[in-house]
Structure formats: structure tokens, C-alpha cells
Amino acid sequence: MSRTLLPTIKDLPSHAGIRSTLPPASCVWPLEKGSADSRLRDDEMRQQALIDPYPADDWRWPKRPVIFISDTHADAEAFEASLVASGGVQLNDTPGQGRFKLTKQGKKAEFIIGGDCLDKGPSNLQMLRSLKRLYDLGARVTLLAGNHDLRLMMGLLAMQQKRHTGNEHLFARMGKKVIPLFREVFDSWPERNWLKGVPDADTCRSLLLPADDWFERFPAHAEGILTEAGVARELKKMRSKASSFERHCLNAGMDIRTVYAVARHCQRLFLHPKGEFYWFFKKMQLVRRTGSFLFLHAGLDDVMSRDIAERGLKKVNKRFRKALHKDLFSFYYSSLANTFRTKYRAADLPLSDAGVQQIHGCGVRALVHGHINRTRGQRLALRQGLLHVEADITLDRNSRRQEGLRGVGCGATIIDPGRHIIGISNDYPFAKVFRPAPLNPAR
């Protein structure tokens, strides 16, 4: 059997109708340095090493295809191209975005949107409208919470609350990446008298940015919740964001009073039951499981592994929704939020062997997530013996430009009931195929 092509995988989705170079054939999922033991002879053997000690018959596969697309970061064109690349939708003949319909495969599949729909640009509002179109077509859609999405929600919620050490930095914490959204909203309602009834600049500044003494108050407030490294990282991050936020707004053509007015309008759009995008946060979940696969935005820690194993996903998702409307500080620096923030850094809550044993014990064999972007398509990695399918393939054009990637990103990760995982990306010449079973049993 060829080590490059897998002609036995006949069901790669059709990519017709999108302006992107996508792989016409598949290969055994190549494993990068650090994914598994590099001393093993080839990718097939290293794939098998990734799933030991769990044999292939220990894995439970979803009954319907799962299409996972994550980290679209406000690029509606990339999102729709990825839907087409997955085989789940096809474009209509009429031009424009939001003009697609479900394919036969899409009607069978579950679409899991892995979070970070917002920020960076260029089309936050159209991205949300394209996602809403998928719901309106009757597709099975699960929307997961991403750190960029939740930062917007918490920044808007913090404006409504009495200011204190735990919340007064949350608006500025959104940083410069939220400014394209604010500019889009400002440009989309040109008839509004934006500054009517808006306070003066100093008042707006005091309502949106942390006070100068916040940096002295924060460590004591965070004691017992954040690690020492976590406190240091947060202070460093906030010094940069708070000092530069107004300048970035001015560079986008909005002074602090305009930003305050636009943020108030975003509250109506996202937080009010009659707002156009109220559904977005309402539908959001923290985790989703199907078969042996756990889907989330970023990763796990020991506390969340135990909660999932002992309480189950339904209770975890319910606790997530309740926590969003309580103390924002306690939520954002908790194990719940670590699920959409962690990159397994020293400042993040730890995942140890004990946590992996907990999650393995309840039947989870792999995490499928975004958050850690990759420039050569999806990646497989082991963390403390737990298989991670890293599926953030750098879709939005602003990030791609910064990383030297061409054009609009496009791709999807498919968990197929035929007992394999397919990773499709226009940044890799083949569709990567991973099967938790020996590819040549006779060997």
C-alpha cells in the first residue's frame, strides 16, 4: 500500500463551487515532531502509538458525520468556503454571502462550530448572519464558546454592572481585536445620531477603562483564584491593553465617546431579547460529546475532567450558562473558562495524569478543539497521554496575512462514522486521514 495516497477513502467531500485550492486526494495523517515517538518507522506506526493502550474496538464513533469548523474570526467568506469544503453545503447560483443550501450529506451531519466566531475581521456581522443561515436551514448545529466570543459578552455585561476590581478591566480586556466589530456596527447604522445623550470623554473613559489604581488592587482580589504566574500574566496583558485601547480606537476613526455609544448599541444587539444577535450567546454551549470524542474550544484541566466524568456534560453546560450571569471575575478565571482559554501554559490550570485518567475513564478518547492555530492544516498531538485533534487551521484573512498564508482560509475536520477522521485544509496538499486501527492488520 502507498504511504502517500489512500484511494480506499472514497468519500472525500466535493469542493465544487469555491475559489480555493483544496486537496483532491488523501494521505495517512502525517505526524509532526512531538506528536508521537519519532523513532517509529512511519506515520502508520506512529498513528497507532497515539491511541495505545486503547484498541480500535474501544472507540465509539458518532452515528452521523460530525463537521467541525473553528476559529473563523469574523471571516464570513472563509466560513462559507469551509462549509462547502466539508461537503455539508453547496452554494446557490445567486452571488453574495449567506446564499447556500444543505447537501444530502449536510442534512445527515452535525455541524459543530468550535468558537471564536468574532474579532479580527473583516466581516463580524456577516459571519453571524451566515451562521444564522445554517440554523435557519434546519441543520443540526452546536455552537461552542470561544474566548474571543465570551470576551465580548463579558465586556458588554461589565458595562451594565457596578464597577469593582473584578470587572472594571473586562471591557478594555477585549483589546484591539474587537475594534473591527465596533467599526462594522458604527458603519452599519449610519443614520443614528451616535453621540446623542453620550457623556463627555472623561466620563466615558472612566466607564470603559480600569482606574489607575486597579493594577495595585488586582493581585489581592485575584489571590486564591489565579496562580502567581496567572496574576503576573494578567497584569502584563492589561497594562498593554489599557494603555493602547483608546489609540487603536482612534486609528479606526472612533473616539472614546463614539466607542461608548457603539458598545451600548452592541448591548442591544447581543444582550437584549429583541436584538438581532441575541440568539448567538443564547445558543452557546461549553462542551459537546459524541461517541469517544469531546469537542470544546481549547482544552481541559483536572477540575473540568473530574466534573465531566462525575457530573456529565449536561450539568457542566448548565453550570456554564448560570455562571455567565453571576460574578464575571470568578467565571473568567475559573476551570469553566479555562476550557476555552487554555494553551497548557504555566499560567493555565493544569492537566495532569490524574485528569487524563478521569476523562479516559468516562470513555473519552480524543479532544477536538480550536484555539491553537496551525498553518499546515490540522494537527494531532498527545498531552499527558490524551489525544488532541488541533483543528484551528487559520481561516481569517487578517491572521493569514500576518502568518504569510495566501488568500482566504478554507477547510474542516470531519469525524466520520466510517471510523476515521479527515482533516481538510487549503494549506496542505492532501486530506489527512487518521484511523484508530492498524492500516495493515496483516503486517
Side-chain angles (χ1 to χ4, degrees):
M1 184 184 70
S2 168
R3 299 295 184 196
T4 305
L5 299 183
L6 285 177
T8 56
I9 302 297
K10 303 185 293 295
D11 50 356
L12 288 180
S14 169
H15 311 315
I18 54 175
R19 296 180 300 161
S20 185
T21 303
L22 282 161
S26 58
C27 71
V28 174
W29 197 304
L31 301 180
E32 302 173 26
K33 184 177 180 180
S35 296
D37 194 339
S38 59
R39 294 172 297 180
L40 297 177
R41 287 202 312 268
D42 54 36
D43 281 329
E44 292 180 16
M45 294 178 70
R46 288 196 291 271
Q47 277 198 13
Q48 195 60 30
L50 280 177
I51 62 169
D52 288 340
Y54 299 100
D57 58 7
D58 190 56
W59 287 61
R60 291 193 297 111
W61 292 81
K63 295 181 180 179
R64 63 178 74 254
V66 175
I67 295 169
F68 185 80
I69 299 172
S70 187
D71 296 82
T72 55
H73 281 300
D75 197 319
E77 184 180 351
F79 175 60
E80 294 186 9
S82 297
L83 290 174
V84 176
S86 75
V89 312
Q90 64 184 53
L91 301 179
N92 294 340
D93 295 333
T94 50
Q97 291 171 341
R99 303 180 186 276
F100 55 84
K101 60 183 179 180
L102 293 176
T103 62
K104 184 178 179 180
Q105 175 81 346
K107 292 177 181 177
K108 294 179 181 177
E110 177 183 359
F111 297 85
I112 299 182
I113 310 304
D116 279 4
C117 295
L118 301 177
D119 280 1
K120 301 184 181 181
S123 46
N124 286 271
L125 303 185
Q126 184 55 51
M127 171 62 220
L128 294 176
R129 289 165 182 150
S130 293
L131 178 55
K132 184 62 162 54
R133 167 72 176 165
L134 194 61
Y135 279 103
D136 292 344
L137 288 172
R140 299 174 181 85
V141 183
T142 298
L143 174 61
L144 299 179
N147 56 307
H148 285 263
D149 309 321
L150 268 296
R151 280 212 301 255
L152 172 67
M153 184 180 188
M154 289 187 295
L156 297 178
L157 285 171
M159 290 179 65
Q160 300 179 166
Q161 299 177 352
K162 183 177 179 180
R163 284 169 64 86
H164 58 81
T165 306
N167 69 11
E168 67 184 76
H169 66 301
L170 291 178
F171 188 89
R173 204 187 189 289
M174 292 187 289
K176 66 180 181 180
K177 292 175 184 176
V178 77
I179 294 173
L181 168 61
F182 286 171
R183 184 72 214 196
E184 281 183 52
V185 171
F186 179 72
D187 292 338
S188 296
W189 281 269
E191 73 285 354
R192 287 183 61 86
N193 182 359
W194 285 101
L195 298 182
K196 182 179 180 181
V198 173
D200 61 63
D202 285 341
T203 301
C204 288
R205 203 170 285 117
S206 68
L207 292 170
L208 299 181
L209 305 179
D212 291 341
D213 66 347
W214 178 86
F215 296 92
E216 284 71 47
R217 289 186 275 115
F218 182 76
H221 189 84
E223 188 176 0
I225 298 177
L226 274 73
T227 62
E228 185 175 340
V231 171
R233 181 174 178 273
E234 193 68 12
L235 289 173
K236 180 180 179 181
K237 186 182 289 288
M238 283 308 306
R239 284 193 178 96
S240 174
K241 290 190 174 188
S243 64
S244 63
F245 187 80
E246 191 170 355
R247 172 169 50 85
H248 289 305
C249 292
L250 289 170
N251 290 341
M254 298 178 293
D255 62 17
I256 196 70
R257 295 181 70 220
T258 302
V259 170
Y260 178 83
V262 171
R264 290 292 301 271
H265 191 61
C266 284
Q267 288 177 322
R268 289 186 282 272
L269 290 173
F270 285 93
L271 304 182
H272 193 279
K274 292 185 179 180
E276 180 182 356
F277 306 116
Y278 178 72
W279 58 270
F280 180 62
F281 293 118
K282 193 74 172 176
K283 290 182 177 292
M284 204 168 275
Q285 298 183 38
L286 187 66
V287 285
R288 170 80 170 101
R289 178 179 175 181
T290 177
S292 294
F293 299 87
L294 183 67
F295 298 85
L296 33 63
H297 180 66
L300 286 177
D301 60 80
D302 288 349
V303 174
M304 187 54 60
S305 295
R306 184 183 67 243
D307 283 355
I308 290 172
E310 294 179 356
R311 301 184 183 187
L313 266 64
K314 186 175 181 179
K315 289 186 177 179
V316 168
N317 279 322
K318 185 176 181 180
R319 188 158 64 91
F320 161 70
R321 287 189 290 270
K322 285 186 175 181
L324 280 171
H325 299 284
K326 293 183 178 180
D327 178 31
L328 294 177
F329 174 84
S330 297
F331 164 71
Y332 194 60
Y333 299 101
S334 70
S335 184
L336 283 170
N338 191 65
T339 303
F340 57 77
R341 295 177 59 203
T342 186
K343 290 185 178 178
Y344 299 104
R345 301 159 294 203
D348 296 321
L349 298 176
L351 176 67
S352 70
D353 291 339
V356 172
Q357 290 176 15
Q358 286 267 0
I359 206 70
H360 275 165
C362 67
V364 171
R365 298 290 172 259
L367 303 189
V368 185
H369 65 95
H371 193 54
I372 302 174
N373 67 302
R374 298 297 171 192
T375 59
R376 294 274 290 167
Q378 296 86 341
R379 178 178 183 263
L380 298 178
L382 279 180
R383 297 186 186 278
Q384 298 298 117
L386 178 61
L387 180 62
H388 286 58
V389 183
E390 298 175 349
D392 174 358
I393 53 175
T394 315
L395 294 176
D396 74 280
R397 67 197 71 188
N398 289 334
S399 295
R400 292 177 66 79
R401 192 180 304 116
Q402 293 176 7
E403 294 172 4
L405 300 173
R406 294 181 179 180
V408 177
C410 181
T413 305
I414 302 168
I415 315 297
D416 194 283
R419 304 179 69 82
H420 55 263
I421 306 171
I422 305 174
I424 300 168
S425 168
N426 61 342
D427 296 320
Y428 196 78
F430 298 99
K432 303 175 182 181
V433 179
F434 174 63
R435 292 194 279 184
L439 294 177
N440 186 355
R443 186 174 60 201

